[in-house]
Amino acid sequence: MTQTVKYLKDYTAPTHLVPKTDLLFEINEQYTDVWATLHIEPQNGATELVLQGDVKLISIKKNDETLPETAYSLNPNDETLVLPNMPTEPFTLTIHTQVEPQKNKSFNGLYESEGNLYTQCEPEGFRKITFHPDRPDVMGEFTTEIRANADKFPVLLSNGNKIRSGSLNDGRHFAVWHDPFVKPTYLFALVAGDLALTSDFFITQSGRRVVIEFYTRQADAHQVAFAIESLKNSMKWDETRFGLEYDLDIYMVVAVGDFNMGAMENKGLNIFNTKYVLADSQTATDADFEGVEAVIAHEYFHNWTGNRVTCRDWFQLSLKEGLTVFRDQEFSGDRASRAVRRIENVKLLRTHQFAEDASPMAHPVRPASYVEMNNFYTMTVYEKGAEVVRMYHTFLGEEGFQRGMKLYFERHDGQAVTCDDFRAAMADANGFDFEQFALWYSQAGTPTLQISGSLKKNGGNLDYVLRVKQILPDTPDMPASQKQAMMMPLAIALFNENGEKGAFKLPNDDNSYNETILIVNQAEQEFVLREVQQSVTPSLLRGFSAPVHLQFDYTNEQLALLLAHDDDEFARWEAGQTLLRRAIFANETALQQGNDLPQNPLLIQALRNILNDNNLDAAFKAMLLQVPAEAELWGERDHINPVQTTMAREALLDEIAHALHGELLATALNARESENADKRGKEIAFYEYNPKDAGLRALQYACFPLIHRFDEAATIEQVFEHYDEMARKNMTHEWGVLSSINSNASAKRDELLARFAAKFDHQALVMDKYFSLIACSRRADTLVQAQAALNHPRFALDNPNKVRALIGTFARNVPHFHALDGSGYAFVAQHIKKIDAFNPQVAAGLARAFNLLKRIEPQRQALMRAELEAIVALPSLSKDVREIVEKILA
Ligand code: TRP
Ligand code: ZN
């Protein structure tokens, strides 16, 4: 397979359209035969037809006549089939191919899992099934017939409505599905197997009845109720908030344990990783429930943002993903704890997307080039893309944003379009100039806003003058000198020394405001807020109004003031985070210079006030107590010494745990009391997921590890003795307890983990939790235990969830992945090579763990480099892994 780079600028319209595709799948024991009849419409007199395919070709018919082999050429190098002399009038091609789903461990195309067959076609998996232009701007209507043995494959599913079914000879049966909506090939899906059905229904706002069908393994059917409720809530929400109604009469969700990502929005037939469907309180944590709700919503929302209006080409991926993530974030925020959800999103963005943007993998929200499209399902396309959509919303407000959405659907329903089309709809519906805003789609890297403020006399009044400078970083694709100033909303309010929000006026405007949104759109600019009070502490970037780094020279006292009083929860939390970051950085400096560690009385007092504040929501309080993780601390720093960061962070945790022991204990006990309050005498199963109890539990387990920080021996004894009682309420408690003692050096910790593994031996998703506990422990023997876990009977290198749980988690375990003897790097690299042989997509995901290479101190950098060079030296390396590793090394 050659390493060809595809460029956005090279886009050309398709030479042939395929408005109809008829498929026939004959499923046999060893292989599946596929006949695809493509109804082809040549454009502008084109005669040469190029189809994409990476599949065994048996024969081709043109208008029912078999083509001689001389009529076409197969090019395995670039996976094309070229037919040079095709008619200029519409014609059909019937292509017979053969696939071996049992041998397919890439989980891309048609594959087998536990005896059942599933497809995954986004972005370019359809070509592993048959030959087709296989590009998202070639859309068509699909009819799919599936034939298979009725005992082995009683369930036969595809997109749209089932129009016929019946039995055939030899114990076989068939089903024919028709999808009336045109769609690209990447939304095609097929499922065949022996699956349990759980059904329900939803009545749409216009009164149509939609059948809901969830397919799982028989043994898992009792775990789908929450996902079904989540789907109904999503359908309702999209009607009320976006005015969007579901369009088919049936909505199917199939859960499969072998799946490369979270889930896939195939029209009318979503296919999901079991992780995002199955949940009950004995096996899923509160966070897992929230994950199920969010992913069910995400895939459902794609029906309009992705399926009805799709992408012209894969460079536009964020058109559907950024927008759909924004929509699922808003849904989750409307469901519960909006502020906490927002902070979680920001934390995810800053931990992983900012790191990506500061790495050799940096790319714009709309990438300009790619080698392997699977490598571009990134934090930047999804999460930064969602922030870009959120900025339209911040500029336009809810009503203006909805006007834009409405125009977008009016103009583009049934089409494959670009990010510019979306931007134009937002602009035109509101008469708002989003010209400069286009830079968010083409300039990579996280901008930094350097802000300073000063008071100025103006007659008898005071003005507050804000100077805002935006700094754009160099990225591998573009030096900073070629970048232009971006346009972004800067939400701001002013607080006085008592923590009250002060009023101000804007230039040429006599209204009084106590918050506003400034439009930043120049490299350097000044904003004047008029008639302000004597003392000003600005609350900046409220709600995280733009995905940027913010620099403002706050005093610690000002940060404590905002932490105590800001009414924007993001800004309030961020003030606390800044204090925590400063304390960790000071520890790092002290460690580097061999000085005593500094004390942080102001921070400690601020945290004490938080712990003692009975008016704070529990979930929010738990967020305020989170100390930033290592990856969040590295920002754009160079010469990172990862283990030193860990030590500096641990030292701060020591200080907090020591100084606030009593308050932490009281807070945790209180939260436990509140959680138990309404449950006395009731069934254990009453400890089910709900946002309020989830917050109380989050608070308990934010305190628990700090409370037990110093007395390892006593803690493990206590947990050991009370484990069953603590764990039996639900998985959140069980997980919380195990996480809290997971780094304990005692043999009893191993015994608890072993008991946990034995208890959940047949629950694959809980076993993933077991493997991730092994891999995230900070105990000295973690690598040894991780290596041993590879041989656990429930571990499987060909199952992506297992790989992510054990090896992926290990790669994020800072002291162990970055062990100074190189053993952590070697362990991960060894498995990248192994997995690449059968699942390049998952291997490439693991390879990203090395993207810190250039920013890490020299000794570790050399060890990392040696591993990466050994990987690229492999002749059989996939283009997926090669693209990632070559970029890191470049
Ligand atoms: N479109 C899917 C989503 O965002 C994700 C996806 C892309 C995917 N490629 C995939 C899922 C490959 C599984 C396998 O919801
Ligand atoms: Zn998506």
Side-chain angles (χ1 to χ4, degrees), residues 218-228 274-290 292 684-690 697 727-735 759-760 762-766 769:
Q218 199 63 249
D220 298 332
H222 68 287
Q223 294 180 315
V224 298
F226 183 80
I228 292 179
T274 45
K275 181 175 168 57
Y276 295 108
V277 180
L278 307 179
D280 64 39
S281 58
Q282 290 310 304
T283 57
T285 62
D286 295 331
D288 293 329
F289 279 98
E290 284 158 12
V292 168
I684 280 301
F686 203 64
Y687 284 85
E688 64 201 3
Y689 169 78
N690 66 66
R697 291 191 278 265
R728 73 197 235 279
K729 292 178 183 168
N730 67 27
M731 181 51 77
T732 305
H733 282 289
E734 186 150 16
W735 172 257
K759 176 168 149 197
F760 291 108
H762 292 291
Q763 294 284 347
L765 294 172
V766 187
K769 296 188 193 302

Side-chain angles (χ1 to χ4, degrees), residues 107-108 120-123 186-187 259-265 271 295 298-299 302 314 317 320-321 324-325 374 377 382 841:
F107 306 136
N108 194 1
Q120 171 56 43
C121 292
E122 184 179 6
Y186 82 86
L187 290 172
F259 202 70
N260 282 348
M261 310 254 271
M264 180 61 216
E265 70 264 25
I271 300 180
V295 178
H298 179 96
E299 307 311 329
H302 267 315
W314 291 116
L317 180 61
K320 75 176 176 81
E321 295 303 347
T324 304
V325 171
N374 267 321
Y377 288 77
Y382 277 65
Q841 192 180 346

Side-chain angles (χ1 to χ4, degrees), residues 182-341:
V182 294
K183 65 167 175 288
T185 46
Y186 82 86
L187 290 172
F188 170 78
L190 173 154
V191 173
D194 188 1
L195 295 165
L197 165 63
T198 307
S199 29
D200 207 317
F201 66 91
F202 177 80
I203 307 289
T204 69
Q205 62 184 3
S206 72
R208 282 188 314 108
R209 182 187 169 95
V210 176
V211 173
I212 293 172
E213 295 190 344
F214 275 58
Y215 291 89
T216 61
R217 297 190 319 176
Q218 199 63 249
D220 298 332
H222 68 287
Q223 294 180 315
V224 298
F226 183 80
I228 292 179
E229 276 316 299
S230 299
L231 175 62
K232 292 199 267 182
N233 290 329
S234 307
M235 294 176 93
K236 182 101 210 117
W237 182 89
D238 217 10
E239 291 180 348
T240 39
R241 177 100 185 250
F242 278 76
L244 298 172
E245 185 173 321
Y246 186 60
D247 48 12
L248 285 163
D249 298 332
I250 182 167
Y251 193 89
M252 294 175 282
V253 170
V254 180
V256 56
D258 289 307
F259 202 70
N260 282 348
M261 310 254 271
M264 180 61 216
E265 70 264 25
N266 315 301
K267 182 81 188 188
L269 178 56
N270 289 181
I271 300 180
F272 268 65
N273 190 322
T274 45
K275 181 175 168 57
Y276 295 108
V277 180
L278 307 179
D280 64 39
S281 58
Q282 290 310 304
T283 57
T285 62
D286 295 331
D288 293 329
F289 279 98
E290 284 158 12
V292 168
E293 184 175 71
V295 178
I296 288 275
H298 179 96
E299 307 311 329
Y300 175 70
F301 299 152
H302 267 315
N303 190 56
W304 279 94
T305 51
N307 302 3
R308 289 287 288 257
V309 182
T310 197
C311 302
R312 184 193 73 173
D313 55 71
W314 291 116
F315 298 102
Q316 319 297 327
L317 180 61
S318 198
L319 172 75
K320 75 176 176 81
E321 295 303 347
L323 177 55
T324 304
V325 171
F326 171 78
R327 276 154 51 70
D328 83 57
Q329 290 177 351
E330 283 300 294
F331 167 73
S332 296
D334 283 347
R335 295 282 303 155
S337 318
R338 170 166 284 276
V340 174
R341 295 287 94 83

Side-chain angles (χ1 to χ4, degrees), residues 619-806:
F620 183 51
K621 200 183 267 197
M623 291 301 300
L624 291 173
L625 294 173
Q626 299 290 331
V627 175
E630 287 93 339
E632 268 178 279
L633 294 163
W634 291 329
E636 280 164 307
R637 239 195 300 168
D638 286 325
H639 297 285
I640 294 167
N641 179 335
V643 177
Q644 198 164 65
T645 309
T646 299
M647 284 166 62
R649 183 176 178 274
E650 296 285 327
L652 178 65
L653 291 170
D654 284 348
E655 187 186 351
I656 295 170
H658 188 79
L660 296 173
H661 185 82
E663 289 84 349
L664 288 161
L665 194 58
T667 303
L669 286 176
N670 254 325
R672 192 197 297 177
E673 269 302 296
S674 311
E675 189 203 353
N676 290 341
D678 51 356
K679 301 182 182 60
R680 287 199 213 297
K682 291 190 178 145
E683 290 291 300
I684 280 301
F686 203 64
Y687 284 85
E688 64 201 3
Y689 169 78
N690 66 66
K692 182 169 158 283
D693 284 352
L696 291 166
R697 291 191 278 265
L699 184 52
Q700 288 169 63
Y701 292 105
C703 299
F704 198 94
L706 291 167
I707 294 166
H708 294 290
R709 199 167 167 82
F710 299 114
D711 208 345
E712 280 219 315
T715 300
I716 194 77
E717 287 304 326
Q718 197 188 331
V719 166
F720 200 78
E721 200 171 314
H722 298 287
Y723 183 77
D724 291 325
E725 175 201 335
M726 293 165 90
R728 73 197 235 279
K729 292 178 183 168
N730 67 27
M731 181 51 77
T732 305
H733 282 289
E734 186 150 16
W735 172 257
V737 170
L738 287 176
S739 301
S740 303
I741 51 95
N742 191 34
S743 297
N744 196 296
S746 158
K748 293 214 160 111
R749 172 271 190 184
D750 295 345
E751 205 180 319
L752 286 173
L753 255 64
R755 254 160 58 181
F756 180 67
K759 176 168 149 197
F760 291 108
D761 188 56
H762 292 291
Q763 294 284 347
L765 294 172
V766 187
M767 289 307 289
D768 293 344
K769 296 188 193 302
Y770 166 73
F771 291 115
S772 73
L773 283 166
I774 295 283
C776 74
S777 173
R778 302 230 161 161
R779 269 169 64 129
D781 63 349
T782 288
L783 178 57
V784 177
Q785 292 213 8
Q787 266 157 339
L790 293 167
N791 299 318
H792 190 287
R794 297 293 166 224
F795 186 80
L797 208 56
D798 58 14
N799 176 260
N801 287 359
K802 293 281 174 292
V803 168
R804 281 186 287 257
L806 188 68

